[in-house]
Amino acid sequence: MQWYTSAYVSPRGYSDVWIRSPAKITQNVYLSRRSAGMFSKDAGMLFRKNLKVFRQIILQDSRVFKKVWTRHSKSPISYESGRIYFENYRCCFSSIPSRPQHLYQLPKSSKLEKIEDVLLCQSPLVILPRTSDQAPSLLALTAHNWLYRLSTKTGEQLQKVCLSSRYKFRYLGWDVPQETFYIKSVQNKQSPTVRQAGLDNNAMIYLAVFQVFPLEIVAVLEISKRVFGSTVLDVTLSQGVLVVSHSNKTVKLYSFENIVDKFMTRRLVLGEQCQWSGISGTVGESPFGIPVNIHINECPPVLYELPCLDNYMQIGGHPWHVIFTPNHKKHRGTYHICLLKDGTLAHNGIQDMQCCSLESDWIYFHPDESGRIIHVGPSKIKCVYSAQNSVTSSGRMVRRRFHQLDDDPEKETFRVVEYEDELDLLAVVEVTLRDEKGRANVGLHDNQSGVLMKTVELVESWDVTYTHELFFDQDTIVHIAQEKNNLFSCHVYKTHISLDRGRNTASNKI
């Protein structure tokens, strides 16, 4: 049997810390040893090594980002994981090649089949019985209440589901990314005539929840004022938590799992025959659709209740923390970070950027799941560890470095912060006004230290009066901009070897 030991080995030839059999190695120990390279033949370890080399290549002085492609459109443009979508997702280009290549063009459709929202599903980590369930796909919600699953490579329709003929669905969102998602209806606003007739059932919003791989229905439920209160304003689902916002500036959290266990009347399977309220049909097919199989007749237990300004809150960090602005005008412009379990204010738990310009600041949990928090203002970016306080085994507090990026507020303004998880880099867009035109530089910063590693100058201007999006994906930068007359443009940059910089590097070596 092979034995795994700690990284430290004594002069006597064996470990002075741990000696454990493989069956007893905890997950944390395994992960720490794997990050140290002890399992060099592991596929994940090899992939990480390749990405480390790739990052070094991207950051070389001889490498520059060069604009290789531009395309204009009369309708909004979208980008998702190496795919650029035009004409309301009918036309798709791949941004992976050295120049974007056309992948497919869907046939024109009627207004009823217009795509209103989408989610991208990557390949699952498990092997599924059907090959079509395994393929990466685009979940598309149409105006006539159908959910299509389209191949990301060809646009081929892999699956379609009829949702309902009674209420209008409009929005898609992840509950747990790449695992479960929800489809939310528009708010049900009945006319005064209907309410006077006594037909108002107070149903405000409907949610349909699905599992992704394979596509299966979890539940359909209604959020009613009768159960959740007359002040209900909106609802969403995140990480298994039902989040209900109220007009009195209060947000309440409920366990979705408890709701399913307690109030589900019947489990539904797509494609199976079903009889519901005296009507027979096939689940997920027209005109039967998917019936409501969760009927909440009493308010579930509230997990957490928080009064917050503008009903804005975020949950994240390790352990769980919440970011919010207290519901009082004196707190406007500040963010409070508290422990979710008991509401205790975290260390450095009140963040105030004290912005003097017209530009607002924004704050969020770092997407690298490190527990850090990124706070972006017009002229300053802060990355803090307020969401966790680490202590060593001896009881000594670990002091976390406080990283901050500054610029001149009179000359430059931070507009976008994009995290590239595979290269562990932050792309920060700084816009400077030159000759009455906005000029943008993309600074690539090390995610751990905040050190500027490389700067990319965008060729096209950046008009701050219109909306912009920037995506940084390995060796590609995609800039999507709205322009005058409601036009849209997509600019793609790729890394190239600069001959001038290459010659300079060679001469320095000589």
Side-chain angles (χ1 to χ4, degrees):
M1 172 182 285
Q2 182 180 5
W3 295 81
Y4 298 101
T5 65
S6 68
Y8 171 72
V9 179
S10 73
R12 296 190 297 272
Y14 59 87
S15 169
D16 274 347
V17 186
W18 300 293
I19 301 178
R20 297 180 181 177
S21 66
K24 294 183 179 180
I25 293 180
T26 64
Q27 182 181 10
N28 288 339
V29 173
Y30 175 82
L31 291 176
S32 64
R33 295 177 184 176
R34 186 180 68 177
S35 65
M38 295 184 66
F39 309 114
S40 58
K41 294 183 179 180
D42 177 72
M45 189 63 201
L46 293 175
F47 180 66
R48 283 187 293 276
K49 285 184 177 180
N50 289 339
L51 287 178
K52 186 176 181 179
V53 173
F54 188 52
R55 169 186 157 126
Q56 293 173 348
I57 294 174
I58 294 294
L59 296 177
Q60 285 177 349
D61 291 338
S62 59
R63 285 273 172 178
V64 297
F65 279 86
K66 181 181 178 181
K67 188 174 180 179
V68 298
W69 190 80
T70 298
R71 184 180 173 94
H72 305 283
S73 174
K74 294 182 179 179
S75 59
I77 305 170
S78 301
Y79 175 85
E80 290 282 351
S81 297
R83 302 286 191 270
I84 307 172
Y85 296 95
F86 297 86
E87 302 175 25
N88 195 36
Y89 296 94
R90 287 182 52 247
C91 178
C92 178
F93 283 79
S94 171
S95 64
I96 297 176
S98 57
R99 285 178 58 87
Q101 293 182 359
H102 185 259
L103 287 181
Y104 62 82
Q105 179 90 24
L106 298 178
K108 290 186 178 181
S109 57
S110 64
K111 290 184 178 181
L112 291 177
E113 293 180 299
K114 177 187 175 183
I115 296 176
E116 298 199 326
D117 206 355
V118 299
L119 285 178
L120 179 66
C121 297
Q122 307 285 8
S123 297
L125 298 178
V126 296
I127 304 300
L128 300 176
R130 293 190 303 178
T131 306
S132 60
D133 291 335
Q134 197 81 22
S137 59
L138 194 70
L139 294 173
L141 176 64
T142 66
H144 65 331
N145 268 4
W146 280 80
L147 179 68
Y148 292 155
R149 198 164 67 87
L150 308 175
S151 168
T152 58
K153 295 181 180 180
T154 64
E156 174 190 0
Q157 186 183 107
L158 304 175
Q159 194 172 357
K160 64 177 183 177
V161 177
C162 176
L163 299 174
S164 174
S165 57
R166 293 180 53 203
Y167 26 85
K168 168 67 176 172
F169 284 101
R170 178 67 60 82
Y171 312 101
L172 286 171
W174 286 113
D175 171 24
V176 180
Q178 302 301 322
E179 292 184 18
T180 55
F181 69 96
Y182 65 89
I183 312 176
K184 185 168 70 172
S185 73
V186 297
Q187 294 188 8
N188 183 23
K189 297 180 181 180
Q190 295 181 331
S191 64
T193 305
V194 173
R195 287 196 295 269
Q196 290 176 3
L199 300 177
D200 186 5
N201 62 359
N202 289 313
M204 187 176 183
I205 297 174
Y206 290 89
L207 285 181
V209 185
F210 289 82
Q211 175 184 304
V212 178
F213 299 111
L215 187 63
E216 294 178 350
I217 180 68
V218 176
V220 179
L221 64 154
E222 68 175 26
I223 305 299
S224 67
K225 293 184 177 181
R226 177 180 59 82
V227 172
F228 291 94
S230 59
T231 59
V232 171
L233 192 64
D234 199 4
V235 64
T236 188
L237 190 63
S238 177
Q239 300 295 329
V241 176
L242 188 71
V243 183
V244 181
S245 303
H246 294 261
S247 57
N248 59 0
K249 309 299 182 183
T250 301
V251 177
K252 297 181 180 180
L253 310 182
Y254 305 87
S255 168
F256 182 68
E257 181 181 4
N258 290 343
I259 291 175
V260 171
D261 292 341
K262 185 174 182 179
F263 299 108
M264 178 177 283
T265 58
R266 179 177 177 179
R267 293 197 175 275
L268 300 172
V269 178
L270 294 175
E272 285 193 358
Q273 289 291 318
C274 177
Q275 187 168 4
W276 201 275
S277 300
I279 302 175
S280 298
T282 303
V283 178
E285 294 187 4
S286 181
F288 191 75
I290 305 175
V292 176
N293 66 336
I294 289 186
H295 294 275
I296 308 175
N297 49 34
E298 61 180 7
C299 189
V302 178
L303 296 178
Y304 193 78
E305 182 175 346
L306 186 69
C308 50
L309 198 66
D310 299 328
N311 291 320
Y312 173 84
M313 66 177 294
Q314 296 181 57
I315 296 177
H318 314 293
W320 291 112
H321 280 69
V322 58
I323 301 176
F324 70 104
T325 299
N327 185 23
H328 196 283
K329 61 181 181 180
K330 71 177 183 179
H331 295 297
R332 184 176 293 276
T334 68
Y335 298 96
H336 289 225
I337 306 163
C338 298
L339 191 66
L340 184 62
K341 181 175 67 174
D342 56 13
T344 303
L345 192 68
H347 179 62
N348 292 329
I350 299 179
Q351 294 292 313
D352 186 359
M353 192 66 76
Q354 297 180 346
C355 300
C356 299
S357 66
L358 297 177
E359 303 294 335
S360 62
D361 58 330
W362 69 95
I363 191 170
Y364 58 96
F365 288 100
H366 200 305
D368 68 357
E369 299 184 356
S370 62
R372 294 181 295 172
I373 293 173
I374 295 181
H375 191 184
V376 184
S379 59
K380 185 183 299 181
I381 297 177
K382 297 194 293 185
C383 186
V384 297
Y385 275 96
S386 297
Q388 60 179 8
N389 296 314
S390 300
V391 180
T392 65
S393 58
S394 62
R396 181 175 61 87
M397 180 68 71
V398 177
R399 299 296 180 184
R400 300 289 187 178
R401 287 187 177 181
F402 183 86
H403 300 303
Q404 183 169 303
L405 306 179
D406 294 281
D407 69 355
D408 188 340
E410 295 182 357
K411 295 181 179 180
E412 298 176 334
T413 304
F414 291 124
R415 293 289 174 173
V416 178
V417 178
E418 170 81 356
Y419 176 56
E420 215 300 335
D421 57 343
E422 293 177 306
L423 301 181
D424 201 30
L425 292 172
L426 284 173
V428 179
V429 177
E430 305 174 16
V431 178
T432 306
L433 188 63
R434 300 182 206 158
D435 301 327
E436 299 183 353
K437 287 187 178 181
R439 295 296 178 184
N441 288 331
V442 182
L444 305 184
H445 296 260
D446 178 75
N447 180 48
Q448 303 303 322
S449 65
V451 174
L452 178 63
M453 310 297 290
K454 197 181 197 70
T455 300
V456 181
E457 184 175 354
L458 300 187
V459 177
E460 67 279 359
S461 61
W462 187 294
D463 191 337
V464 296
T465 59
Y466 295 97
T467 59
H468 296 260
E469 290 180 291
L470 185 126
F471 304 92
F472 178 33
D473 196 348
Q474 292 190 352
D475 66 338
T476 306
I477 292 178
V478 178
H479 174 211
I480 297 175
Q482 183 183 7
E483 298 177 349
K484 295 180 180 178
N485 301 321
N486 205 26
L487 295 177
F488 300 85
S489 296
C490 178
H491 311 275
V492 177
Y493 292 75
K494 286 283 186 177
T495 54
H496 291 266
I497 296 178
S498 173
L499 297 180
D500 293 336
R501 295 191 181 185
R503 293 191 189 100
N504 292 336
T505 303
S507 62
N508 291 336
K509 289 183 178 179
I510 292 174

